[in-house]
């Protein structure tokens, strides 16, 4: 049964910040646009509240999100500035607030790029942000078009670290978005940088073809498909079959990223970033008009 949280009203204070508007909701959270009355800085404030014992996991998840987000410093990853906890009778944790960088923009899911060069810029900036997470020892674990926001400066911000974890984590339950989830996430195996590579590959596939790859999970039922054995997972067809404008090198990279076996994917996200950078340069060069020849006579 879905809970309905009573939102804070604009003009009131929450965790010491002035509430300007409600800007989003999650399974157990509300996100507000807030302002610090001292320096007038604008932030996003995520509010997670415990209503019953089973809600504790949402508080724990928010705390972990802060622990990871505060350690990853990269312009393509939304920063998390502060964690605020409220206790009931000074003992039991009642609610958690995350003070986050406010990202004024639109997700790639809502407004996907239509130009190949623009798409490649988005992909390589996203890969750069994820590579920074991996270098810090963490995995995003829920990379999808809705978690890539293009800000007012036309740059990528990777958002929502709610499912992020330390590299090598084995989760107790399946977490991820069915249309982008990696086989190892469904099989409750180690979450590694290769998991993000798969999720990003599935994201690139959808952005360029508007078609989802077959995964080990059904988006309709959230249940396992025929099996999670890597040999049984249906392979995606080449994205260029759906969009002939996709360059051959990009076609190859995407298919490598969504290999069912993590060992068959690119070794690092930095490699993915560098290959995307090279493909982008090739696309730009191919589209640039050739300079006219100069007649010295």
């Amino acid at each position: 049964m879905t809970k309905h949280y009573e939102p804070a009203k604009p003009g009131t204070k929450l965790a010491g910040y002035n509430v300007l508007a409600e800007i989003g909701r999650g399974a157990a959270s509300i996100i507000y646009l807030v302002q610090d009355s001292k320096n007038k800085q604008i932030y996003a404030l995520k509010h997670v509240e415990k209503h019953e014992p089973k809600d504790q996991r949402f508080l724990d998840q928010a705390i972990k999100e802060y622990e990871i987000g505060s350690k990853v410093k990269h312009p393509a990853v939304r920063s998390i500035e502060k964690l605020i906890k409220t206790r009931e009778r000074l003992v039991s944790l009642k609610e958690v607030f995350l003070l986050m960088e406010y990202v004024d923009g639109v997700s790639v899911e809502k407004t996907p790029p239509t130009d190949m060069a623009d798409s490649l810029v988005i992909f390589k900036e996203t890969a750069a942000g994820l590579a920074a997470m991996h270098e810090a020892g963490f995995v995003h674990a829920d990379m999808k078009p809705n978690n890539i926001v293009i800000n007012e400066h036309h740059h990528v911000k990777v958002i929502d670290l709610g499912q992020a974890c330390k590299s090598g984590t084995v989760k107790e339950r399946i977490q991820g978005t069915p249309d982008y989830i990696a086989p190892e996430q469904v099989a409750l195996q180690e979450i590694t940088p290769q998991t993000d590579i798969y999720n990003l590959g599935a994201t690139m596939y959808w952005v360029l073809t508007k078609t989802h790859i077959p995964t080990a999970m059904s988006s309709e039922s959230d249940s396992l498909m025929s099996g999670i054995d890597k040999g049984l997972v249906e392979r995606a067809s080449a994205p260029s079959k759906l969009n002939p404008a996709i360059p051959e090198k990009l076609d190859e990279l995407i298919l490598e990223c969504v290999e069912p076996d993590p060992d068959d994917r690119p070794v690092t996200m930095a490699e993915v970033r560098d290959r995307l950078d090279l493909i982008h340069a090739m696309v730009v060069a191919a589209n640039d008009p050739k300079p006219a020849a100069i007649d010295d006579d």
Side-chain angles (χ1 to χ4, degrees):
M1 183 170 154
T2 303
K3 294 186 186 70
H4 296 282
Y5 297 94
E6 188 65 32
K9 299 185 184 303
T12 62
K13 277 187 176 284
L14 196 59
Y17 294 88
N18 298 322
V19 175
L20 303 179
E22 179 185 327
I23 56 175
R25 290 200 178 208
S29 64
I30 302 178
I31 302 176
Y32 299 96
L33 180 67
V34 299
Q35 185 177 45
D36 186 329
S37 57
K38 296 177 182 176
N39 60 19
K40 306 305 179 185
Q41 179 68 43
I42 299 294
Y43 296 99
L45 183 71
K46 184 175 187 176
H47 181 205
V48 184
E49 192 170 4
K50 181 178 178 180
H51 290 265
E52 50 190 87
K54 67 179 183 180
D55 292 340
Q56 181 63 42
R57 69 186 179 94
F58 295 116
L59 298 181
D60 295 340
Q61 184 173 293
I63 292 169
K64 183 182 291 185
E65 185 174 356
Y66 168 73
E67 290 171 350
I68 295 173
S70 61
K71 291 181 176 69
V72 178
K73 304 297 182 184
H74 190 276
V77 180
R78 176 162 68 183
S79 63
I80 302 179
E81 308 295 332
K82 187 186 294 186
L83 172 68
I84 303 165
K85 300 178 182 178
T86 301
R87 296 187 180 276
E88 192 172 39
R89 299 185 184 90
L90 303 178
V91 178
S92 176
L93 189 60
K94 173 66 175 173
E95 56 189 347
V96 166
F97 300 90
L98 292 183
L99 189 69
M100 308 181 295
E101 174 187 7
Y102 171 58
V103 180
D104 185 10
V106 64
S107 76
V108 167
E109 181 175 67
K110 289 184 178 178
T111 309
T114 56
D115 178 80
M116 184 61 65
D118 290 345
S119 298
L120 284 160
V121 169
I122 290 170
F123 298 156
K124 69 179 183 177
E125 287 189 7
T126 302
L130 293 172
M133 285 194 70
H134 299 168
E135 288 166 11
F138 303 109
V139 180
H140 186 284
D142 194 26
M143 197 68 262
K144 57 186 177 182
N146 197 46
N147 285 339
I148 303 172
V149 173
I150 309 304
N151 67 17
E152 68 271 29
H153 304 297
H154 307 292
H155 288 296
V156 161
K157 284 288 183 181
V158 172
I159 65 167
D160 194 356
L161 305 184
Q163 294 183 26
C165 59
K166 286 185 178 179
S167 182
T169 294
V170 176
K171 298 196 175 186
E172 295 180 354
R173 65 183 190 282
I174 298 174
Q175 289 184 317
T177 301
D179 289 322
Y180 306 94
I181 199 167
E184 62 270 22
Q185 291 175 284
V186 178
L188 297 180
Q189 297 171 346
E190 284 192 356
I191 305 299
T192 70
Q194 272 61 42
T195 305
D196 278 348
I197 288 174
Y198 185 99
N199 299 159
L200 179 59
T203 294
M204 293 191 289
Y205 197 104
W206 179 84
V207 169
L208 295 171
T209 68
K210 302 305 176 291
T211 302
H212 293 115
I213 65 167
T215 68
M217 202 171 195
S218 163
S219 59
E220 288 78 20
S221 63
D222 280 1
S223 62
L224 298 182
M225 288 175 62
S226 57
I228 54 175
D229 186 297
K230 297 179 184 69
L232 298 178
V233 176
E234 183 184 353
R235 291 176 177 271
S237 60
S240 60
K241 289 184 177 180
L242 299 170
N243 180 356
I246 296 173
E248 181 181 355
K249 293 294 184 184
L250 182 55
D251 218 35
E252 293 172 359
L253 176 59
I254 292 172
L255 289 176
E256 286 179 39
C257 288
V258 297
E259 280 286 345
D261 191 330
D263 291 339
D264 293 334
R265 299 171 203 157
V267 177
T268 66
M269 188 63 78
E271 176 193 333
V272 174
R273 175 201 62 205
D274 292 345
R275 288 171 67 179
L276 287 167
D277 192 37
L278 179 60
I279 295 166
H280 175 251
M282 293 168 62
V283 167
V284 170
N287 290 337
D288 273 352
K290 297 292 186 293
I294 298 174
D295 189 348
D296 290 335
D297 298 334

